[in-house]
Amino acid sequence: MRSRLIRFFSVFLFSLFSLTALAGDVRILVQSSPLAGFRYYAGEALWSELHEGDPLALIREPDNTHDANAVRVEWQGQKLGYLPRAQNQAVAAAMDAGEHVDARIAKLRQERNPWHRLLVDVFVVL
């Protein structure tokens, strides 16, 4: 009986420490959207270097003269564009509240329409 109790607590503590170690690794998809401004920034020039799954940096631009909720999207320090104005409000609010968000390239498509070339997935990190 005692060995079962010790084994139970050992498994419990191991599980607890494992979950604690995972904190910060849990990502919840909150948005998938096209990249706005793809043709105006570095997207075309960097196209051959981009890969699905690549991490993207999201940078808030609260002083942007065109959109107070602007969220710039960068790949390796290069500006690719923005989250679309119609879909950036929740992400901007989360970033302003100090929530950890990140993004990845979800899809790359050989499309004529620049709005369909690159799809961005945005995650809240727990």
Side-chain angles (χ1 to χ4, degrees):
M1 179 69 150
R2 184 175 174 190
S3 65
R4 285 185 183 178
L5 190 58
I6 291 172
R7 193 172 2 182
F8 169 78
F9 280 114
S10 297
V11 171
F12 173 76
L13 289 175
F14 177 77
S15 299
L16 182 63
F17 286 120
S18 296
L19 288 174
T20 302
L22 289 175
D25 292 351
V26 176
R27 299 167 61 229
I28 298 172
L29 180 65
V30 294
Q31 178 176 326
S32 284
S33 60
L35 183 69
F38 181 83
R39 65 179 164 186
Y40 301 113
Y41 301 106
E44 293 289 345
L46 297 171
W47 180 257
S48 64
E49 298 176 48
L50 301 173
H51 299 93
E52 291 181 5
D54 282 355
L56 299 169
L58 300 177
I59 295 101
R60 269 292 278 130
E61 289 186 359
D63 298 328
N64 186 300
T65 56
H66 303 289
D67 181 6
N69 293 314
V71 178
R72 184 173 73 237
V73 177
E74 292 185 355
W75 177 81
Q76 297 186 4
Q78 300 289 319
K79 183 177 181 179
L80 295 180
Y82 289 87
L83 293 182
R85 184 185 319 232
Q87 299 173 338
N88 67 5
Q89 197 168 24
V91 174
M95 293 177 78
D96 292 346
E99 292 184 39
H100 182 195
V101 297
D102 71 10
R104 299 274 184 261
I105 296 175
K107 290 277 185 204
L108 293 169
R109 299 182 190 129
Q110 293 286 348
E111 296 273 342
R112 285 184 97 101
N113 184 339
W115 274 90
H116 298 149
R117 305 262 343 247
L118 194 150
L119 182 68
V120 177
D121 280 349
V122 179
F123 302 88
V124 171
V125 181
L126 304 176

